[in-house]
Coordinates of all heavy atoms in Angstrom, one line a residue:
Q16 N 3.5 10.5 -11.8 CA 4.2 9.3 -11.6 C 4.9 9.3 -10.2 O 5.5 10.4 -9.9 CB 5.3 9.1 -12.6 CG 6.1 7.8 -12.4 CD 7.0 7.5 -13.7 OE1 7.4 8.5 -14.3 NE2 7.6 6.4 -13.7
F17 N 4.6 8.6 -9.2 CA 5.3 8.6 -8.0 C 5.4 7.3 -7.4 O 4.8 6.3 -7.6 CB 4.5 9.6 -7.0 CG 3.2 9.2 -6.6 CD1 3.0 8.4 -5.6 CD2 2.1 9.7 -7.4 CE1 1.6 8.1 -5.2 CE2 0.7 9.4 -7.1 CZ 0.6 8.5 -5.9
N18 N 6.3 7.2 -6.3 CA 6.6 6.1 -5.4 C 6.7 6.6 -4.1 O 7.6 7.3 -3.9 CB 7.9 5.4 -6.0 CG 8.0 4.0 -5.5 OD1 7.2 3.5 -4.8 ND2 9.0 3.4 -6.0
N29 N 4.3 0.3 0.4 CA 4.8 0.9 -0.8 C 3.7 1.2 -1.7 O 2.8 0.2 -2.0 CB 6.0 0.3 -1.3 CG 6.7 1.1 -2.5 OD1 7.1 2.2 -2.3 ND2 6.5 0.6 -3.8
I30 N 3.5 2.3 -2.4 CA 2.6 2.7 -3.4 C 3.3 3.1 -4.6 O 4.2 4.0 -4.5 CB 1.4 3.5 -3.0 CG1 0.4 3.6 -4.1 CG2 1.9 4.7 -2.5 CD1 -0.8 4.2 -3.8
S31 N 3.1 2.6 -5.8 CA 3.7 3.1 -7.0 C 2.7 3.4 -7.9 O 1.8 2.5 -8.3 CB 4.6 1.9 -7.5 OG 5.3 2.4 -8.7
R32 N 2.7 4.6 -8.4 CA 1.5 5.0 -9.4 C 2.2 5.6 -10.5 O 3.2 6.3 -10.5 CB 0.8 6.2 -8.7 CG -0.1 5.7 -7.4 CD -1.1 4.7 -7.8 NE -2.1 5.0 -8.9 CZ -3.2 5.6 -8.8 NH1 -3.7 6.1 -7.7 NH2 -3.9 5.9 -9.9
D33 N 1.5 5.4 -11.6 CA 1.7 6.1 -13.0 C 0.5 6.2 -13.7 O -0.2 5.3 -14.2 CB 2.6 5.1 -13.8 CG 3.1 5.7 -15.2 OD1 2.4 6.8 -15.6 OD2 4.0 5.3 -15.9
T34 N -0.1 7.4 -13.5 CA -1.5 7.7 -13.8 C -1.6 7.6 -15.3 O -2.9 7.5 -15.8 CB -2.0 9.1 -13.4 OG1 -1.1 10.2 -14.0 CG2 -1.8 9.1 -11.9
S36 N 0.0 5.2 -17.4 CA 0.3 3.9 -17.7 C -0.8 3.0 -17.6 O -1.6 3.1 -16.5 CB 1.5 3.2 -17.1 OG 1.8 1.9 -17.5
H37 N -1.1 2.0 -18.5 CA -2.2 0.9 -18.4 C -1.6 -0.3 -18.3 O -2.2 -1.4 -18.4 CB -3.1 1.1 -19.5 CG -3.9 2.4 -19.7 ND1 -4.9 2.7 -18.6 CD2 -3.8 3.4 -20.4 CE1 -5.3 3.9 -19.0 NE2 -4.7 4.3 -19.9
K38 N -0.2 -0.4 -18.2 CA 0.6 -1.6 -18.0 C 0.3 -2.4 -16.8 O 0.0 -1.7 -15.8 CB 2.0 -1.4 -18.2 CG 2.5 -1.0 -19.6 CD 4.0 -0.9 -19.6 CE 4.5 -0.4 -20.9 NZ 6.0 -0.2 -20.9
S39 N 0.3 -3.7 -16.8 CA 0.2 -4.4 -15.6 C 1.2 -4.2 -14.6 O 2.4 -4.3 -15.1 CB 0.0 -6.0 -15.9 OG 0.0 -6.8 -14.9
G40 N 1.0 -4.0 -13.4 CA 2.0 -3.7 -12.4 C 2.4 -2.3 -12.3 O 3.3 -1.9 -11.6
A41 N 1.9 -1.4 -13.1 CA 2.4 0.1 -13.1 C 1.8 0.9 -11.9 O 2.4 1.8 -11.5 CB 1.9 0.6 -14.3
N42 N 0.6 0.4 -11.4 CA -0.1 1.0 -10.3 C -0.3 0.0 -9.2 O -1.4 -0.7 -9.2 CB -1.4 1.7 -10.8 CG -1.2 2.7 -11.8 OD1 -0.6 3.8 -11.5 ND2 -1.6 2.5 -13.0
T43 N 0.5 -0.1 -8.3 CA 0.4 -1.3 -7.2 C 0.6 -0.7 -5.8 O 1.3 0.3 -5.6 CB 1.6 -2.3 -7.5 OG1 2.9 -1.7 -7.5 CG2 1.3 -2.9 -9.0
V44 N 0.1 -1.5 -4.9 CA 0.5 -1.1 -3.4 C 1.0 -2.5 -3.0 O 0.5 -3.7 -3.2 CB -0.9 -1.0 -2.7 CG1 -0.7 -0.8 -1.2 CG2 -1.5 0.4 -3.3
T45 N 2.1 -2.5 -2.2 CA 2.8 -3.6 -1.7 C 2.9 -3.6 -0.3 O 3.4 -2.5 0.3 CB 4.3 -3.7 -2.4 OG1 4.1 -3.7 -3.7 CG2 4.9 -5.0 -1.9
T63 N 1.1 -7.9 -2.9 CA 1.1 -7.0 -3.9 C -0.4 -6.8 -4.5 O -1.0 -7.9 -4.8 CB 2.1 -7.1 -5.0 OG1 3.4 -7.1 -4.5 CG2 2.0 -6.0 -6.0
M64 N -1.1 -5.7 -4.6 CA -2.3 -5.6 -5.1 C -2.4 -4.4 -5.9 O -1.5 -3.5 -5.9 CB -3.3 -5.4 -4.0 CG -3.3 -4.3 -3.1 SD -4.3 -4.5 -1.7 CE -3.2 -5.1 -0.4
T65 N -3.3 -4.3 -6.9 CA -3.6 -3.2 -7.7 C -4.1 -2.0 -6.9 O -4.7 -2.2 -5.7 CB -4.5 -3.5 -8.8 OG1 -5.9 -3.6 -8.2 CG2 -4.1 -4.5 -9.7
V66 N -4.1 -0.7 -7.4 CA -4.5 0.3 -6.6 C -6.0 0.1 -6.3 O -6.7 0.5 -5.4 CB -4.2 1.6 -7.2 CG1 -5.0 2.9 -6.6 CG2 -2.7 1.9 -7.2
K67 N -6.8 -0.3 -7.4 CA -8.2 -0.6 -7.2 C -8.5 -1.6 -6.1 O -9.4 -1.4 -5.4 CB -8.7 -1.1 -8.5 CG -10.2 -1.3 -8.6 CD -10.7 -1.7 -10.0 CE -12.2 -1.9 -10.0 NZ -12.6 -2.2 -11.3
E68 N -7.8 -2.6 -6.0 CA -7.9 -3.6 -4.9 C -7.5 -3.0 -3.7 O -8.1 -3.2 -2.7 CB -6.9 -4.8 -5.1 CG -7.4 -5.7 -6.4 CD -6.4 -6.7 -6.8 OE1 -5.2 -6.4 -6.6 OE2 -6.8 -7.7 -7.2

Side-chain angles (χ1 to χ4, degrees):
Q16 181 179 14
F17 65 88
N18 193 358
N29 188 63
I30 183 167
S31 179
R32 295 293 311 264
D33 184 342
T34 58
S36 179
H37 297 286
K38 291 181 181 178
S39 177
N42 297 293
T43 58
V44 174
T45 305
T63 301
M64 60 188 97
T65 65
V66 170
K67 185 176 181 179
E68 292 166 332

